[in-house]
């Protein structure tokens, strides 16, 4: 969906970071009566359950974000985009660090493959910097001395120039990105933690659902606070209500 007027249920992307097809479909079945509309199949589930699961989820009328963070030479990425679009993915991502040419080829291919399928152009976004990174690790481990926020803005601008629909970023970066790149450029934000969630994990740049929306996030990706909850339906409904209210 290209418009910034996106229904709240489409804005809440549930990360199905569970083990295998049956567990994933079980979680979907529990959440569907509460308005589940958009799911994310990440690397571990995709490598375990494959394209067949993506097709099954699409057949249930869900939007499916296939989160493989593609990062390779332009030709290989373009071929992979073709395979994923034809397999039923309607939301995909590539790493912005793959560069302008790689992103351009991916965007062209996404449009071409969608046209060939006779479907609306799929949504293609770029991963900027993982939300598990901190400025200190960027500098010490990756020798990137540009401040994290500047680096994210630069990569997001590059993604926009390449024709991508938006980026994955921390909600803490959504507001400056909205100012610089406009509200229609999608800001898909993981690292979402409701205030009731008290676990400490590998996400560092975290914010609550309401704050993420106020900061300009167009989509929220939520995993552990939903699938790891004692009552996933309750956790899902609370987050969806928070998004609807903050909208
Ligand atoms: O469990 P949690 O809510 O942290 O899940 C966040 C999801 O978003 C995970 O599936 C993770 O792979 C994904 N993601 C992320 N940071 C990015 C891109 C994707 O956490 N920059």
């Amino acid at each position: 969906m290209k418009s910034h007027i996106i229904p709240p249920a489409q804005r809440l992307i549930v990360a199905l970071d569970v083990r295998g097809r049956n567990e994933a479909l079980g979680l979907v079945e529990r959440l569907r009566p509460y308005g589940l509309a958009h799911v994310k199949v990440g690397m571990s589930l995709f490598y375990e359950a494959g394209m067949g699961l993506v097709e099954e989820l699409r057949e249930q009328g869900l939007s499916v974000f296939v989160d493989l963070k593609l990062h390779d030479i332009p030709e290989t990425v373009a071929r992979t985009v073709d395979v994923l679009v034809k397999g039923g993915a309607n939301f995909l991502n590539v790493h912005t660090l793959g560069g302008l040419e790689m992103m351009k080829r991916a965007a062209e291919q996404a449009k071409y493959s969608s046209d060939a399928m006779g479907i609306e152009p799929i949504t293609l976004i770029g991963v900027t910097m993982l939300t598990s990174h901190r400025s200190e690790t960027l500098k010490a481990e990756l020798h990137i001395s540009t401040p994290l926020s500047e680096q994210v803005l630069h990569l997001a601008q590059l993604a926009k120039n390449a024709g991508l629909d938006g980026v994955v970023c921390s909600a803490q970066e959504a507001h400056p990105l909205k100012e610089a790149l406009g509200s229609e450029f999608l800001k898909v934000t993981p690292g979402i933690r409701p205030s009731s969630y008290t676990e400490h994990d590998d996400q560092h740049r975290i914010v609550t659902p309401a704050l993420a929306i106020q900061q300009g996030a167009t989509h929220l990706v939520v995993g552990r606070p939903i699938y790891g909850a004692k009552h996933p339906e309750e956790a899902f409904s609370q987050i969806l209500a928070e998004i609807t209210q903050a909208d």
Side-chain angles (χ1 to χ4, degrees), residues 159-194:
K160 191 171 184 193
N161 295 346
L164 265 55
D165 300 303
V167 287
V168 182
C169 62
S170 153
Q172 293 175 359
E173 291 137 11
H175 186 69
L177 290 183
K178 185 178 170 185
E179 296 282 294
L181 305 173
S183 53
E184 295 242 348
F185 191 66
L186 304 179
K187 272 104 22 208
V188 178
T189 64
I192 301 296
R193 294 292 177 261

Side-chain angles (χ1 to χ4, degrees), residues 15 17 40 67 69 130-131 168 190 193 203 221-225:
D17 293 334
K40 181 172 89 69
D67 174 19
K69 303 182 177 70
L130 297 175
T131 41
V168 182
R193 294 292 177 261
Q203 295 284 19
V221 178
V222 189
R224 284 162 287 187

Side-chain angles (χ1 to χ4, degrees), residues 194-244:
S195 39
S196 56
Y197 185 84
T198 49
E199 305 283 326
H200 290 286
D201 51 41
D202 58 350
Q203 295 284 19
H204 290 299
R205 290 176 284 143
I206 59 170
V207 301
T208 63
L211 189 60
I213 296 291
Q214 285 154 15
Q215 292 297 309
T218 56
H219 298 77
L220 276 52
V221 178
V222 189
R224 284 162 287 187
I226 293 178
Y227 71 76
K230 204 166 171 198
H231 302 290
E233 304 83 352
E234 233 170 71
F236 174 85
S237 303
Q238 273 169 12
I239 296 172
L240 185 55
E242 203 173 316
I243 293 173
T244 310

